[in-house]
Amino acid sequence: MNENEIISRGVPSHIAIILDGNGRWAKKRLMPRTFGHRKGAFNIRDIAHYASQIGVKYMTVYCFSTENWKRPSDEVNYLMTKPVRYIERYKSSIINSTTKIKMVGRRDRLPRPLLETIEDLEKETANHTGLVLTLCVDYGSLDEVKNAVLEMHHDLNNGRLKESDVDEKTIYNYLYTRDLPPVDLLIRTSGEIRLSNYLLLQLAYAELYFTDVYWPDFNEEELLKAIENYQNRNRRFGGLKENK
Ligand code: IPE
Ligand code: IPE
Ligand code: MG
């Protein structure tokens, strides 16, 4: 199917991506892992731009997990400092676009310059009405649940929340991603078939798509392939599809 045919069949509203394989992509080219992270960062911009063009409403990308602090300090240091420069370089074009940038994850462990740069982008794009691009930084699903449980406990104690009012939606409302709808399509690049602590609740009924392509090589064509694959799924949400 060609691009227009795929788009006309309807694209998923919320796509989440585990962008993996930056390091292996660089290694294959006999380059340092950080070279892959650099290419990977630019690719977030390019794929978000294309996703927005074809009508995706939400794109949520895994940039740094709560477990990634275990990596060698020079790599962690690169990931915590370099994005500041990338963002500054593209800041004006982001501000002039319709994309709204959000960050989810722990904010207390990020270096100040990175946090301030991201928060500045969140502020500058808060009224944008196009694609919502959520960056998951120092994010882990288990940390998110821990945080939700503590906040709920606090609100139950201070009376802001009544036990009898707690339902599935209440729990969703305590997650970092409370403003995002559930994920429709999850893409993981690089051939790994696992979720690595990513959006475990938000993926409850998502369709999962795994590809061997490393993130820096994941381009428009690969995104269309994932969407076409998604369009051929039969989403039942526990029920039965009519006429099936
Ligand atoms: C994904 O690429 C980016 C981050 C986790 C920050 P990796 O750095 O995990 O690359 P591989 O998986 O080692 O190739
Ligand atoms: C998941 O990738 C985290 C991000 C993409 C930011 P990892 O490369 O850290 O995951 P594992 O270690 O292979 O599970
Ligand atoms: Mg990896």
Side-chain angles (χ1 to χ4, degrees), residues 172-229:
Y172 210 89
N173 285 337
Y174 278 88
L175 299 177
Y176 294 140
T177 56
R178 56 184 74 94
D179 298 328
L180 302 178
V183 174
D184 296 304
L185 170 64
L186 170 87
I187 298 171
R188 184 172 187 148
T189 58
S190 92
E192 308 300 347
I193 318 285
R194 57 175 168 267
L195 297 176
S196 302
N197 201 10
Y198 193 46
L199 301 174
L200 301 180
L201 297 177
Q202 298 86 339
L203 294 176
Y205 267 106
E207 297 298 326
L208 312 182
Y209 177 85
F210 298 96
T211 169
D212 287 341
V213 173
Y214 293 144
W215 173 249
D217 286 331
F218 188 89
N219 55 18
E220 297 178 0
E221 199 187 319
E222 295 297 333
L223 181 64
L224 285 175
K225 252 197 243 171
I227 292 175
E228 188 178 4
N229 187 291

Side-chain angles (χ1 to χ4, degrees), residues 21-33 35-36 190 212-217:
N22 288 350
R24 281 165 283 167
W25 180 89
K27 198 171 166 212
K28 220 174 80 184
R29 287 162 177 74
L30 308 176
M31 296 295 280
R33 291 176 54 83
F35 182 64
S190 92
D212 287 341
V213 173
Y214 293 144
W215 173 249
D217 286 331

Side-chain angles (χ1 to χ4, degrees), residues 19-25 33 37 63-64 68 71 75 79 190:
L19 45 97
D20 200 9
N22 288 350
R24 281 165 283 167
W25 180 89
R33 291 176 54 83
H37 293 315
C63 301
F64 192 91
N68 286 148
R71 295 191 178 192
E75 181 165 344
L79 291 167
S190 92

